[in-house]
Amino acid sequence: MLSNTTIIVGVTGGIAAYKACDVVSKLKKLNANIHVIMTESACEFVQPMTFQTLSNNFVINDMFKEPKTWEVEHIELAKRADAFLIVPATANFIGKLAAGIADDMLTTTVMATSAPVIIAPAMNTNMYTNRIVQANIGALQDLGYKFIEPASGRLACGDIGAGKLADVDDIVAYVVDFFEKEAQVKDLVGRSIMISAGPTIEAIDPVRYITNRSSGKMGYAIAKRAVARGAQVTLVSGKTDLDVPKGLVKYINIESADDLYENLVREFEANDVVIQSAAVADYKPKSYSDKKIKKKDSDLSIELCRNKDVAQELGKIKGDKVLVGFAAETNDVLENATKKIKKKNLDFIVANDLTMQGAGFSTETNIVKIIEADGRINEYPKLLKSEVGDIILDKVRDILENK
């Protein structure tokens, strides 16, 4: 059932750590490849040898112990993982993760992964309901971490209430259901989708340039979801700090708006869909200085000229392709975005208001309105960018099916 699936199980220092043995055993019997990382405190409750025997893999519990391989262990496991399962997760671990603290092998590895992270908390009722713990859980959920709700009942300390580790079978079922959903949604098999992402850079001289605040997170989220749904994906990206999503057919790195245009045009015919989420500079310096411009006592003026409107140019050669645009605005969002649909010959446009908290650049979430060519407007609450990506891809699929 879980064949060819690599799950990293993180065990933290709570009395429920012994139940993680049963979780590992049951996942292993479903043919998952299990690697266990234990915190130092977890080793006080369960011996690493137990997990090593159950998983048939070495257990990692010390950042500074001599590694079993020549690979950088936490980076290699982070890359290899299809999912992380933290069971049990203490308030301490949740707090460190929410604060971005990586001071042991488990937190370090989780920080280094792009795989989904599933967290099963277990702690005293008063700790679990503490506003700080709940705020940390909420912050992690906003970042895309998934939580398995703890059960209510009699705890090891004698208290009765929420905080008891979810039933082992429920945890295993959650993991199985998660992977089944990932496997089932393959509705874009046979479709070729090109996605642009990130900022463009317009050079002034060898040192300076004009750019924007785009992080690329929206485009990369769409690319990941498109790959997961079976599409052949080409990602054309400006400079970002993001890892290149696994499974892409092609990754093309660009700098300027001209670079972006040339690559999109070159790859255009090979794709059914073009989703243009890159933030393209409208202007560039009219002339480039091949030497660093020296500071003077007087002011400096740089003459700018208009870049090609990449989306509009692609609209001219659209044919039967599906074209999706983005409009990041700070005012008159609907009016400005709607004008672009006809001008750029788009099937629909995704608009967001950069002034809204939780929307726009660098965040893990977005708040969008999707405006269709016939004028219909669909508004969405704050969602993870991966969830927005699926909404966009659902609309793309529907258009392709109706062509």
mmCIF file of all heavy atoms in Angstrom, residues 301-323:
data_model
loop_
_atom_site.group_PDB
_atom_site.id
_atom_site.type_symbol
_atom_site.label_atom_id
_atom_site.label_comp_id
_atom_site.label_asym_id
_atom_site.label_seq_id
_atom_site.Cartn_x
_atom_site.Cartn_y
_atom_site.Cartn_z
ATOM 1 N N SER A 301 20.292 60.535 -12.728
ATOM 2 C CA SER A 301 19.055 60.196 -13.423
ATOM 3 C C SER A 301 19.300 59.001 -14.328
ATOM 4 O O SER A 301 20.300 58.974 -15.057
ATOM 5 C CB SER A 301 18.560 61.375 -14.268
ATOM 6 O OG SER A 301 18.194 62.460 -13.439
ATOM 7 N N ILE A 302 18.416 58.028 -14.255
ATOM 8 C CA ILE A 302 18.513 56.849 -15.125
ATOM 9 C C ILE A 302 17.278 56.836 -16.002
ATOM 10 O O ILE A 302 16.145 56.763 -15.502
ATOM 11 C CB ILE A 302 18.603 55.555 -14.307
ATOM 12 C CG1 ILE A 302 19.854 55.564 -13.429
ATOM 13 C CG2 ILE A 302 18.616 54.333 -15.221
ATOM 14 C CD1 ILE A 302 19.942 54.398 -12.466
ATOM 15 N N GLU A 303 17.469 56.900 -17.295
ATOM 16 C CA GLU A 303 16.342 56.890 -18.213
ATOM 17 C C GLU A 303 15.860 55.451 -18.398
ATOM 18 O O GLU A 303 16.655 54.547 -18.665
ATOM 19 C CB GLU A 303 16.748 57.495 -19.560
ATOM 20 C CG GLU A 303 15.566 57.682 -20.498
ATOM 21 C CD GLU A 303 15.949 58.387 -21.798
ATOM 22 O OE1 GLU A 303 17.150 58.732 -21.965
ATOM 23 O OE2 GLU A 303 15.054 58.566 -22.648
ATOM 24 N N LEU A 304 14.565 55.269 -18.259
ATOM 25 C CA LEU A 304 13.979 53.944 -18.392
ATOM 26 C C LEU A 304 13.174 53.842 -19.672
ATOM 27 O O LEU A 304 12.595 54.826 -20.132
ATOM 28 C CB LEU A 304 13.060 53.642 -17.211
ATOM 29 C CG LEU A 304 13.680 53.699 -15.809
ATOM 30 C CD1 LEU A 304 12.610 53.427 -14.754
ATOM 31 C CD2 LEU A 304 14.826 52.702 -15.670
ATOM 32 N N CYS A 305 13.139 52.639 -20.239
ATOM 33 C CA CYS A 305 12.286 52.393 -21.401
ATOM 34 C C CYS A 305 11.377 51.206 -21.096
ATOM 35 O O CYS A 305 11.644 50.409 -20.195
ATOM 36 C CB CYS A 305 13.118 52.139 -22.656
ATOM 37 S SG CYS A 305 14.175 50.684 -22.585
ATOM 38 N N ARG A 306 10.317 51.078 -21.853
ATOM 39 C CA ARG A 306 9.286 50.079 -21.600
ATOM 40 C C ARG A 306 9.760 48.691 -22.007
ATOM 41 O O ARG A 306 10.305 48.496 -23.089
ATOM 42 C CB ARG A 306 8.034 50.446 -22.410
ATOM 43 C CG ARG A 306 6.804 49.608 -22.097
ATOM 44 C CD ARG A 306 6.136 50.052 -20.817
ATOM 45 N NE ARG A 306 4.795 49.505 -20.701
ATOM 46 C CZ ARG A 306 4.518 48.302 -20.217
ATOM 47 N NH1 ARG A 306 5.485 47.502 -19.836
ATOM 48 N NH2 ARG A 306 3.269 47.889 -20.131
ATOM 49 N N ASN A 307 9.575 47.718 -21.121
ATOM 50 C CA ASN A 307 9.791 46.316 -21.489
ATOM 51 C C ASN A 307 8.611 45.820 -22.314
ATOM 52 O O ASN A 307 7.515 46.390 -22.273
ATOM 53 C CB ASN A 307 9.910 45.447 -20.234
ATOM 54 C CG ASN A 307 11.337 45.235 -19.789
ATOM 55 O OD1 ASN A 307 12.235 45.093 -20.612
ATOM 56 N ND2 ASN A 307 11.553 45.219 -18.482
ATOM 57 N N LYS A 308 8.833 44.741 -23.040
ATOM 58 C CA LYS A 308 7.714 44.084 -23.709
ATOM 59 C C LYS A 308 6.713 43.620 -22.667
ATOM 60 O O LYS A 308 7.094 43.164 -21.578
ATOM 61 C CB LYS A 308 8.194 42.861 -24.495
ATOM 62 C CG LYS A 308 8.933 43.173 -25.781
ATOM 63 C CD LYS A 308 9.362 41.877 -26.443
ATOM 64 C CE LYS A 308 10.132 42.167 -27.734
ATOM 65 N NZ LYS A 308 10.665 40.929 -28.339
ATOM 66 N N ASP A 309 5.430 43.718 -22.977
ATOM 67 C CA ASP A 309 4.403 43.126 -22.132
ATOM 68 C C ASP A 309 4.341 41.646 -22.507
ATOM 69 O O ASP A 309 3.732 41.267 -23.515
ATOM 70 C CB ASP A 309 3.049 43.808 -22.376
ATOM 71 C CG ASP A 309 1.985 43.349 -21.387
ATOM 72 O OD1 ASP A 309 1.965 42.140 -21.071
ATOM 73 O OD2 ASP A 309 1.192 44.194 -20.952
ATOM 74 N N VAL A 310 5.005 40.826 -21.694
ATOM 75 C CA VAL A 310 5.186 39.415 -22.031
ATOM 76 C C VAL A 310 3.834 38.714 -22.204
ATOM 77 O O VAL A 310 3.604 37.996 -23.184
ATOM 78 C CB VAL A 310 6.032 38.694 -20.961
ATOM 79 C CG1 VAL A 310 6.142 37.206 -21.278
ATOM 80 C CG2 VAL A 310 7.414 39.323 -20.873
ATOM 81 N N ALA A 311 2.917 38.943 -21.276
ATOM 82 C CA ALA A 311 1.602 38.293 -21.351
ATOM 83 C C ALA A 311 0.843 38.725 -22.601
ATOM 84 O O ALA A 311 0.202 37.911 -23.271
ATOM 85 C CB ALA A 311 0.792 38.602 -20.101
ATOM 86 N N GLN A 312 0.928 40.009 -22.928
ATOM 87 C CA GLN A 312 0.220 40.512 -24.111
ATOM 88 C C GLN A 312 0.801 39.920 -25.390
ATOM 89 O O GLN A 312 0.060 39.575 -26.324
ATOM 90 C CB GLN A 312 0.300 42.036 -24.154
ATOM 91 C CG GLN A 312 -0.557 42.658 -25.246
ATOM 92 C CD GLN A 312 -0.602 44.173 -25.135
ATOM 93 O OE1 GLN A 312 -0.347 44.734 -24.080
ATOM 94 N NE2 GLN A 312 -0.935 44.836 -26.220
ATOM 95 N N GLU A 313 2.110 39.790 -25.436
ATOM 96 C CA GLU A 313 2.763 39.211 -26.617
ATOM 97 C C GLU A 313 2.366 37.748 -26.798
ATOM 98 O O GLU A 313 2.143 37.291 -27.916
ATOM 99 C CB GLU A 313 4.285 39.348 -26.506
ATOM 100 C CG GLU A 313 4.805 40.776 -26.551
ATOM 101 C CD GLU A 313 4.437 41.475 -27.857
ATOM 102 O OE1 GLU A 313 4.607 40.859 -28.936
ATOM 103 O OE2 GLU A 313 3.970 42.626 -27.802
ATOM 104 N N LEU A 314 2.279 37.005 -25.699
ATOM 105 C CA LEU A 314 1.855 35.602 -25.798
ATOM 106 C C LEU A 314 0.383 35.517 -26.207
ATOM 107 O O LEU A 314 -0.015 34.602 -26.931
ATOM 108 C CB LEU A 314 2.063 34.886 -24.467
ATOM 109 C CG LEU A 314 3.509 34.676 -24.010
ATOM 110 C CD1 LEU A 314 3.544 33.900 -22.710
ATOM 111 C CD2 LEU A 314 4.345 33.968 -25.069
ATOM 112 N N GLY A 315 -0.420 36.478 -25.754
ATOM 113 C CA GLY A 315 -1.830 36.503 -26.137
ATOM 114 C C GLY A 315 -2.028 36.637 -27.633
ATOM 115 O O GLY A 315 -3.012 36.124 -28.192
ATOM 116 N N LYS A 316 -1.087 37.301 -28.299
ATOM 117 C CA LYS A 316 -1.192 37.487 -29.753
ATOM 118 C C LYS A 316 -1.003 36.177 -30.515
ATOM 119 O O LYS A 316 -1.490 36.019 -31.631
ATOM 120 C CB LYS A 316 -0.147 38.500 -30.221
ATOM 121 C CG LYS A 316 -0.383 39.923 -29.722
ATOM 122 C CD LYS A 316 0.750 40.832 -30.155
ATOM 123 C CE LYS A 316 0.575 42.259 -29.620
ATOM 124 N NZ LYS A 316 1.723 43.135 -29.997
ATOM 125 N N ILE A 317 -0.264 35.243 -29.918
ATOM 126 C CA ILE A 317 0.017 33.962 -30.606
ATOM 127 C C ILE A 317 -0.684 32.798 -29.892
ATOM 128 O O ILE A 317 -0.311 31.644 -30.046
ATOM 129 C CB ILE A 317 1.542 33.696 -30.682
ATOM 130 C CG1 ILE A 317 2.176 33.662 -29.282
ATOM 131 C CG2 ILE A 317 2.220 34.754 -31.549
ATOM 132 C CD1 ILE A 317 3.639 33.221 -29.279
ATOM 133 N N LYS A 318 -1.692 33.106 -29.109
ATOM 134 C CA LYS A 318 -2.331 32.134 -28.226
ATOM 135 C C LYS A 318 -2.840 30.889 -28.938
ATOM 136 O O LYS A 318 -2.589 29.769 -28.488
ATOM 137 C CB LYS A 318 -3.484 32.817 -27.480
ATOM 138 C CG LYS A 318 -4.272 31.868 -26.600
ATOM 139 C CD LYS A 318 -5.430 32.591 -25.923
ATOM 140 C CE LYS A 318 -6.276 31.642 -25.107
ATOM 141 N NZ LYS A 318 -7.399 32.316 -24.444
ATOM 142 N N GLY A 319 -3.567 31.045 -30.029
ATOM 143 C CA GLY A 319 -4.172 29.876 -30.671
ATOM 144 C C GLY A 319 -5.128 29.185 -29.723
ATOM 145 O O GLY A 319 -5.968 29.815 -29.095
ATOM 146 N N ASP A 320 -4.971 27.859 -29.574
ATOM 147 C CA ASP A 320 -5.869 27.110 -28.691
ATOM 148 C C ASP A 320 -5.258 26.844 -27.314
ATOM 149 O O ASP A 320 -5.740 26.000 -26.565
ATOM 150 C CB ASP A 320 -6.271 25.788 -29.343
ATOM 151 C CG ASP A 320 -5.066 24.889 -29.611
ATOM 152 O OD1 ASP A 320 -3.913 25.343 -29.405
ATOM 153 O OD2 ASP A 320 -5.275 23.733 -30.030
ATOM 154 N N LYS A 321 -4.194 27.573 -26.980
ATOM 155 C CA LYS A 321 -3.573 27.402 -25.663
ATOM 156 C C LYS A 321 -4.456 28.005 -24.575
ATOM 157 O O LYS A 321 -5.284 28.878 -24.828
ATOM 158 C CB LYS A 321 -2.206 28.104 -25.613
ATOM 159 C CG LYS A 321 -1.268 27.811 -26.758
ATOM 160 C CD LYS A 321 -0.725 26.407 -26.707
ATOM 161 C CE LYS A 321 0.315 26.203 -27.816
ATOM 162 N NZ LYS A 321 0.734 24.799 -27.909
ATOM 163 N N VAL A 322 -4.251 27.549 -23.345
ATOM 164 C CA VAL A 322 -4.887 28.171 -22.187
ATOM 165 C C VAL A 322 -3.874 29.119 -21.561
ATOM 166 O O VAL A 322 -2.770 28.706 -21.202
ATOM 167 C CB VAL A 322 -5.322 27.111 -21.152
ATOM 168 C CG1 VAL A 322 -5.894 27.792 -19.903
ATOM 169 C CG2 VAL A 322 -6.343 26.157 -21.752
ATOM 170 N N LEU A 323 -4.254 30.386 -21.460
ATOM 171 C CA LEU A 323 -3.364 31.389 -20.875
ATOM 172 C C LEU A 323 -3.959 31.902 -19.575
ATOM 173 O O LEU A 323 -5.120 32.330 -19.533
ATOM 174 C CB LEU A 323 -3.159 32.562 -21.833
ATOM 175 C CG LEU A 323 -2.428 32.288 -23.151
ATOM 176 C CD1 LEU A 323 -2.169 33.606 -23.886
ATOM 177 C CD2 LEU A 323 -1.120 31.557 -22.921
#
